[in-house]
Amino acid sequence: DTEVTQTPKHLVMGMTNKKSLKCEQHMGHRAMYWYKQKAKKPPELMFVYSYEKLSINESVPSRFSPECPNSSLLNLHLHALQPEDSALYLCASSQEGTAADTQYFGPGTRLTVL
Amino acid sequence: AQTVTQSQPEMSVQEAETVTLSCTYDTSESDYYLFWYKQPPSRQMILVIRQEAYKQQNATENRFSVNFQKAAKSFSLKISDSQLGDAAMYFCAIGGAQKLVFGQGTRLTINP
């Protein structure tokens, strides 16, 4: 199974809402990633978890809060977002989180902030 | 810091023809890995091909092959016998410490 799943597929939220994005993989990978992707742009790295510990935070605003409950799950908690946060949010996983790793991407959650 | 440059924002090719997508990169690392990822419209990003910098032999995967020129820091992707399903955004990337650095992407259109 080489699949990364993400829920929900689409999410519309107001600026005062709290919501969460979920990501799951069953490949036994020990590194998981959150990316933000704007239209016609490459993915921008937000967070990296390695062995369930946050190892990289790319200076992401605190209104985005990641969580890694176990080695298969990755959440992204959203609170008080701004319209400019509307984007495709991609989750990915890789074997160990090294430079050699292939990253496997999920289909993404299309987020719209009103 | 690592950087990746894709100088062709858009390209098109006739079905069954061959097309080459360009990528140059910069890194101070001596050991690194290079990737081409494909993102079809409204579908998830997948790996096309991967190259280990210490290997001189160019990687190939069926109709996809790379021309890796380490001294020139160039890593182009050749797609042979282009098919309609090859239409996608193609991202070149370099593997760094725990993260990928992506180029800006090339949108490839296949003309039937």
Side-chain angles (χ1 to χ4, degrees):
Chain A
D1 183 3
T2 57
E3 190 177 48
V4 176
T5 59
Q6 290 187 244
T7 55
K9 284 186 167 42
H10 301 275
L11 179 62
V12 179
M13 60 186 290
M15 290 191 284
T16 58
N17 292 157
K18 286 185 181 181
K19 297 285 185 183
S20 297
L21 309 185
K22 297 186 184 301
C23 174
E24 190 167 8
Q25 57 89 11
H26 293 289
M27 295 178 276
H29 288 173
R30 304 316 301 264
M32 296 186 76
Y33 310 78
W34 279 116
Y35 289 90
K36 173 183 178 181
Q37 187 179 26
K38 291 281 203 179
K40 300 184 180 180
K41 295 291 186 183
E44 298 173 33
L45 183 66
M46 301 174 72
F47 303 103
V48 180
Y49 272 83
S50 178
Y51 289 83
E52 300 165 47
K53 294 190 187 310
L54 183 65
S55 58
I56 294 180
N57 176 343
E58 294 284 48
S59 303
V60 178
S62 60
R63 57 186 184 269
F64 295 91
S65 175
E67 178 196 19
C68 188
N70 61 54
S71 60
S72 300
L73 292 173
L74 187 65
N75 298 323
L76 185 63
H77 302 298
L78 314 173
H79 173 55
L81 295 192
Q82 304 296 310
E84 59 264 29
D85 296 322
S86 299
L88 182 67
Y89 287 83
L90 297 172
C91 174
S93 70
S94 71
Q95 191 71 38
E96 297 283 339
T98 68
D101 280 2
T102 294
Q103 291 190 19
Y104 293 83
F105 287 82
T109 293
R110 177 78 58 189
L111 174 67
T112 302
V113 181
L114 301 177
Chain B
Q2 297 176 313
T3 60
V4 177
T5 301
Q6 295 178 250
S7 59
Q8 306 151 316
E10 296 185 359
M11 290 196 72
S12 63
V13 65
Q14 290 296 124
E15 194 176 1
E17 296 293 307
T18 295
V19 63
T20 299
L21 308 184
S22 300
C23 173
T24 58
Y25 62 92
D26 194 17
T27 181
S28 56
E29 302 291 328
S30 57
D31 188 20
Y32 52 91
Y33 297 80
L34 296 162
F35 305 84
W36 278 98
Y37 282 88
K38 165 186 176 181
Q39 189 174 34
S42 301
R43 292 176 59 192
Q44 65 201 83
M45 190 173 306
I46 59 171
L47 177 73
V48 175
I49 201 163
R50 174 179 174 273
Q51 174 80 41
E52 295 144 346
Y54 62 86
K55 286 189 176 179
Q56 293 191 353
Q57 186 172 5
N58 289 327
T60 63
E61 285 289 342
N62 301 314
R63 298 182 294 106
F64 297 88
S65 61
V66 298
N67 182 5
F68 175 47
Q69 301 289 328
K70 191 171 183 178
K73 295 185 177 177
S74 170
F75 182 60
S76 60
L77 175 69
K78 185 171 84 171
I79 306 173
S80 303
D81 185 25
S82 298
Q83 300 176 0
L84 294 177
D86 295 332
M89 194 75 162
Y90 286 81
F91 292 102
C92 178
I94 186 168
Q98 286 195 301
K99 59 183 180 180
L100 287 174
V101 175
F102 289 95
Q104 290 299 303
T106 296
R107 180 168 301 281
L108 178 64
T109 302
I110 312 295
N111 300 314

